[in-house]
Amino acid sequence: MFIAYLMYKKSWIVLIGLLLLLTNALIQLDSGIRVEPHSLIYLNSLFLIITLSFFIWRYNKETAYYKSLRTLSDDVGEGWFEDVPKPHSSFPDPMVYTLLQNIHQHYQNKRREEQSSQLMEHTDLASWVHEMKTPLTAMKITIDAHRSNELAQRLNASWLRMHLLIDQQLYISRLANLDSDLLPEKLEVKDLLREEIRELSTWCMEKNISIDLTANTVSAVYTDKKWCRFVIRQFLTNAIKYSPTNGKLFIHMGLHENESVIVTIKDEGPGIQAHDLPRIFDKGFTGENGRIQNSATGMGLYLAKEICKKLHVRLEVDSAVGEGTSISMVFTSDNPFEMLRRTLL
């Protein structure tokens, strides 16, 4: 940094060097000035030592504030401005401090505006979802009241898909506050699966899809019922959506390594392209199958992934084109929920 400082002060160094040369030239050319050669060497040496000492002193003084800022820049956090040191010199450090203060204030104002806007959007979205649930509930009551009517029953599957999309939007609006909404308890995954299969039975019957549910062991886990059911619902709806008519879903529960409960949902759909597989959990990504279906939002798997992070559930995906897709939920035995349960026993 000292070399950079000298380069920055090169005009001063050139000026001092020229003045020294001019002084030496005057001493040598002016006959009225008599200086012994050893005295001239002494004078030049003393001048250079004083100049170098001056530059070192000014370097330490002028760069002290910037060194502290450089140290701060290596670890910038949310409260970075609170760590910015107050300027000691009168110029130009106060100008730098004022600039950083204005940038920080502008950033804070911008952030408050964005948070307020996001909060308003989430509030409007949640309000809209709740408003939509009222007519959907009325439609469901009407459909259930006319079970013998073929037209009403044909509308049942369409109503279910609308209900799932509205429900998905509701969970999107709640995702930011997921941590405060978790209520872990000991649950049987088999029961959660059966409840979701029952909810989606109308859609399965419309496509004549059968479900093969097998379990080799007890499937008790410690997790949140509402959010876990939503994740299972996303995987089941995806499997049903991409399964062919008269197809079959395979759901298996068993023990994974380290006695972790694993739930695998496999469909007979078109499968996922190898280049799409690493991105299926990205927000808004639909892939080739989604474009063909023209009904994918790219949000279902993203939400499932984000929720699974909070539930400490590991996801594993296996797919091959033309052979279907298999998604596994691994409820690890060493997650914080399970450890908390063990401490309460």
Side-chain angles (χ1 to χ4, degrees), residues 19 32 48 59 100 106 115 134 136 162 175 199-200 210 217 256 288 293 297 327 340:
L19 291 175
L48 291 174
Y59 166 76
L100 293 175
H106 174 75
Q115 288 177 341
T134 302
L136 278 176
M162 289 176 59
L175 187 61
E199 290 287 331
L200 300 172
S210 60
T217 183
H256 198 47
E288 291 189 14
Q293 288 277 345
T297 62
I327 295 184
L340 176 62

Side-chain angles (χ1 to χ4, degrees), residues 138-188:
M139 289 173 60
K140 182 61 175 174
I141 293 173
T142 303
I143 292 172
D144 290 342
H146 298 81
R147 291 186 178 275
S148 59
N149 189 308
E150 183 181 351
L151 179 60
Q153 294 310 306
R154 287 171 61 185
L155 289 173
N156 204 6
S158 297
W159 174 89
L160 176 62
R161 286 194 284 274
M162 289 176 59
H163 168 71
L164 293 174
L165 288 172
I166 295 294
D167 203 45
Q168 185 184 87
Q169 290 300 316
L170 183 61
Y171 277 88
I172 290 174
S173 65
R174 293 173 176 172
L175 187 61
N177 302 316
L178 174 57
D179 288 324
S180 60
D181 193 39
L182 292 177
L183 184 62
E185 55 183 317
K186 189 175 182 180
L187 300 166
E188 286 285 340

Side-chain angles (χ1 to χ4, degrees), residues 85-96:
K86 294 287 194 292
H88 299 294
S89 63
S90 58
F91 181 85
D93 297 352
M95 296 178 64
V96 176

Side-chain angles (χ1 to χ4, degrees), residues 272-303:
I272 302 172
Q273 297 284 344
H275 59 268
D276 283 346
L277 202 55
R279 301 175 59 195
I280 60 173
F281 293 110
D282 292 352
K283 186 176 182 179
F285 181 74
T286 56
E288 291 189 14
N289 293 334
R291 294 185 180 91
I292 294 172
Q293 288 277 345
N294 202 29
S295 60
T297 62
M299 292 299 296
L301 291 181
Y302 163 75
L303 283 172

